[in-house]
Amino acid sequence: MGLRLSDALRLSWANIAEYKGRSVVVVATVAILFGLVMGVNFLLRGLEVTLLDASVVKTGGKVYVETSFKKSRYGSNEARLNERLEKYHGEKVGTLKTYALDGETIGVMEIESGKEFPTEEEYAEWGTEKQETDAAHLSVGGGTTLELKKASVLNLVLGGVYGNVIEEGELVVNDGSGEIEEYINTRVEEIRQEKVASVDEMLAMEVAEEAEGEQEFTEEDIAYFYEEAENWEPEVSEESIAVFENYWDLKDYVLTRDTPEAKNLEPQAFGVGNLFSNTVDIINEVEMMRTVLKFFEVVLLVVAVIVATLTFAHLIDNDAATVALYRSMGASTGDIYAIYFLYLVELCLLAVAVSIGIGLILAGIVAVLDAGDLAVRLQEYYGLVVAPRVRLVGIDQRFWEVTGMIMLVAPLVLALTSRRFGAKHIAKKLKEDQ
C-alpha cells in the first residue's frame, strides 16, 4: 500500500469524526484528570515567583544564607562548599560563629576583608531590632505563617512558610573593636559563677539530706562538680555566610539532587539556612509540594491509560471491517499501526489543549478570589512599603513534563491493544459481527 503520512493523517482524523462519542470520552477523561494538575502547577509556579520576589525586596534582590558541609567521605568540607558555591554562582563573604550561652544564643559574623556585606544601618532597616548587646535580632513576619486568614487553596503552601526567627537569636557583625568578644567573655564568666552557685546550693541540700541519713557525695564527686562549673565553655558552631545575586541560583544551590549523597540515597551532609529572609523556607516548601504532585501525576497517568485503553479497544473491535479493508488493499501491519497511533496522538493533543484550558480557568478563578488578599498579606508580613505584585499563573518545566505524560498515553495504549490488530482477532470479530 505504501501509505503516505498525509493519507495516514486523513484516515486517523476520519476515525475521530466517525467515533465522536468514544473520542470525546478519551479526550474528556484525560483532560479532566490532567486539567486539575495543570491548574495546580500553574498556581504553584506563579505563587513561587510571587513569594520569592516578596522575600528579597528588602535585600535588593540578593539572598544571604548560612551554609556548610558536614564531615563526610566525599572530600574536604571546605572544598566541597567552595565548589558548590562556584557552580551555582554564590559567593562566600564570611563566617558565622554561633555561641550557645546557656539559654541565650548569639551569632557573630566575621566578614572577609574586601567582601561586600550590608551595613548595620541597612539590615536594621530590613526589620531587625537593636539589642542591649548592640546586636540585631533578625526576624521576618514575627514568627507567624504566611497563611491567608480566609480559607484558600493557597494555604496548602502558605501554611508551611513560616516567619524566620533566626535560630542564632542575636546576630552581630564583628567590627574588630573587641566589644563582642568582651561581651561573650563576660557572659561566660557570669554563667560559670551561676553554675558554681548551683553546686553550692546542691551541696547545701546534700548536707541537709545527710543529716537525715541519705547517702552523701564523695570528695571526688564534689571536686568534679566544681571543676565542671568553673571550666564551663559554650558550644560553638561555625557556618559559612554566602550571598547569591538572585534566588534562582540559590534554588539550584539548595536542591541537592546532584550531590553524591543524593545519588547514593544517603543522608545529606549539606545544609543551608536563612539569613535576613525566609527565602530558603519558600524554596523547600514549594519543592515539597511538587514532590507530592508527582505522585498524583503518576496515579492520574495510570487511570488515563486504563480508560483510554478500554475505550480504544472497543473502537478497534468496532472498526474490524475497516482494518480488514486496509489489509485487503495491501496495507502492512506497520501502516495500520501508524493510522491508529496518529489517531491516538491527535486525541492526546486535543486532551492537552483542553487540559490547559481547564488549568488556566482553575488558576484564574483562584487568582480572582485570592490575589488581592495575598498582596495585602505579603505587604503586612514582610513590612513592605508597597504591596508586591501577585502572579498566580506561571509556566515552568513541570508544564512540559505533564504535557509529556499526557502524550505518553498514545504509545502506551497502542502497545496494550496491539494484539487486536492481528489477523486472527480481526477475523474473529468479523465472524461475530455476521
Side-chain angles (χ1 to χ4, degrees):
M1 186 175 180
L3 194 67
R4 294 178 299 181
L5 179 61
S6 58
D7 293 331
L9 286 170
R10 179 173 52 80
L11 292 171
S12 64
W13 189 255
N15 275 330
I16 292 180
E18 182 175 354
Y19 297 102
K20 292 185 180 70
R22 287 178 180 169
S23 297
V24 168
V25 169
V26 174
V27 172
T29 300
V30 176
I32 290 172
L33 291 175
F34 283 95
L36 177 60
V37 175
M38 283 284 192
V40 173
N41 275 307
F42 288 151
L43 276 173
L44 192 58
R45 178 60 170 185
L47 183 60
E48 177 185 31
V49 173
T50 296
L51 294 179
L52 291 174
D53 280 343
S55 73
V56 299
V57 168
K58 288 189 173 181
T59 57
K62 295 182 179 181
V63 192
Y64 297 86
V65 297
E66 52 178 288
T67 181
S68 66
F69 269 98
K70 298 177 183 177
K71 185 177 180 180
S72 71
R73 61 189 179 92
Y74 294 107
S76 165
N77 300 348
E78 189 70 18
R80 293 187 71 192
L81 180 65
N82 292 335
E83 179 183 358
R84 191 168 185 84
L85 284 170
E86 182 179 0
K87 181 177 180 180
Y88 295 111
H89 312 109
E91 179 186 16
K92 180 180 175 181
V93 295
T95 58
L96 172 62
K97 290 185 179 179
T98 303
Y99 297 82
L101 300 173
D102 201 25
E104 173 192 7
T105 56
I106 182 166
V108 181
M109 295 185 288
E110 303 274 354
I111 307 305
E112 296 178 5
S113 177
K115 299 293 186 180
E116 291 188 8
F117 196 75
T119 64
E120 188 174 280
E121 290 75 18
E122 284 178 307
Y123 65 75
E125 291 177 359
W126 298 346
T128 65
E129 297 177 357
K130 299 295 290 182
Q131 304 293 306
E132 292 180 1
T133 58
D134 200 31
H137 185 76
L138 304 181
S139 63
V140 176
T144 62
T145 72
L146 259 171
E147 199 170 20
L148 298 180
K149 296 177 182 178
K150 67 176 185 178
S152 170
V153 67
L154 299 181
N155 286 339
L156 294 174
V157 175
L158 299 177
V161 180
Y162 289 86
N164 172 35
V165 178
I166 194 167
E167 62 183 21
E168 284 76 26
E170 293 181 353
L171 197 67
V172 67
V173 177
N174 193 342
D175 58 5
S177 66
E179 178 183 350
I180 191 62
E181 290 90 345
E182 181 181 352
Y183 172 80
I184 291 174
N185 291 335
T186 300
R187 284 291 297 128
V188 169
E189 188 57 37
E190 289 174 352
I191 293 170
R192 286 173 179 169
Q193 292 175 8
E194 290 170 1
K195 290 186 176 295
V196 169
S198 295
V199 174
D200 291 338
E201 183 179 348
M202 179 183 67
L203 293 177
M205 294 176 61
E206 172 66 15
V207 170
E209 292 175 355
E210 183 182 348
E212 298 177 5
E214 297 289 339
Q215 184 177 359
E216 63 180 19
F217 290 122
T218 65
E219 290 185 4
E220 289 79 6
D221 290 335
I222 295 172
Y224 172 78
F225 295 149
Y226 277 113
E227 183 180 0
E228 285 288 299
E230 292 168 354
N231 296 299
W232 177 88
E233 292 289 343
E235 291 185 9
V236 182
S237 62
E238 185 172 325
E239 304 273 331
S240 293
I241 299 174
V243 60
F244 292 81
E245 293 295 325
N246 64 77
Y247 50 69
W248 295 125
D249 285 335
L250 174 65
K251 180 178 178 180
D252 292 334
Y253 180 80
V254 169
L255 302 182
T256 55
R257 302 185 186 98
D258 60 342
T259 62
E261 289 90 346
K263 293 175 181 178
N264 295 322
L265 302 178
E266 297 175 3
Q268 193 59 247
F270 169 69
V272 190
N274 292 300
L275 202 62
F276 303 124
S277 72
N278 60 350
T279 310
V280 175
D281 291 341
I282 294 170
I283 291 171
N284 288 330
E285 184 66 20
V286 172
E287 191 62 22
M288 183 182 71
M289 185 59 67
R290 285 201 173 99
T291 301
V292 174
L293 279 176
K294 286 180 182 179
F295 169 77
F296 286 104
E297 287 166 6
V298 172
V299 173
L300 293 178
L301 175 63
V302 172
V303 174
V305 168
I306 291 173
V307 173
T309 299
L310 294 175
T311 305
F312 189 58
H314 284 295
L315 183 149
I316 296 172
D317 290 344
N318 290 339
D319 225 13
T322 303
V323 174
L325 177 62
Y326 290 155
R327 288 192 176 277
S328 67
M329 295 176 65
S332 66
T333 300
D335 292 332
I336 295 172
Y337 281 167
I339 293 170
Y340 286 94
F341 177 68
L342 288 174
Y343 166 71
L344 286 169
V345 168
E346 289 162 0
L347 289 181
C348 288
L349 286 172
L350 289 172
V352 167
V354 177
S355 64
I356 290 173
I358 293 173
L360 289 174
I361 290 172
L362 293 175
I365 291 173
V366 175
V368 170
L369 295 176
D370 296 333
D373 291 328
L374 180 58
V376 172
R377 182 71 183 110
L378 289 173
Q379 183 178 11
E380 172 188 67
Y381 185 80
Y382 289 108
L384 305 179
V385 176
V386 179
R389 180 184 177 187
V390 173
R391 291 168 289 185
L392 292 181
V393 178
I395 293 178
D396 61 0
Q397 182 182 348
R398 299 292 302 144
F399 168 80
W400 302 108
E401 291 176 3
V402 174
T403 298
M405 293 185 77
I406 296 175
M407 296 307 300
L408 188 60
V409 171
L412 288 176
V413 170
L414 187 66
L416 292 171
T417 56
S418 59
R419 67 179 184 83
R420 292 178 178 270
F421 292 108
K424 290 184 179 180
H425 183 79
I426 294 299
K428 179 181 177 183
K429 289 302 300 178
L430 288 174
K431 184 176 181 181
E432 290 175 354
D433 292 340
Q434 288 179 351

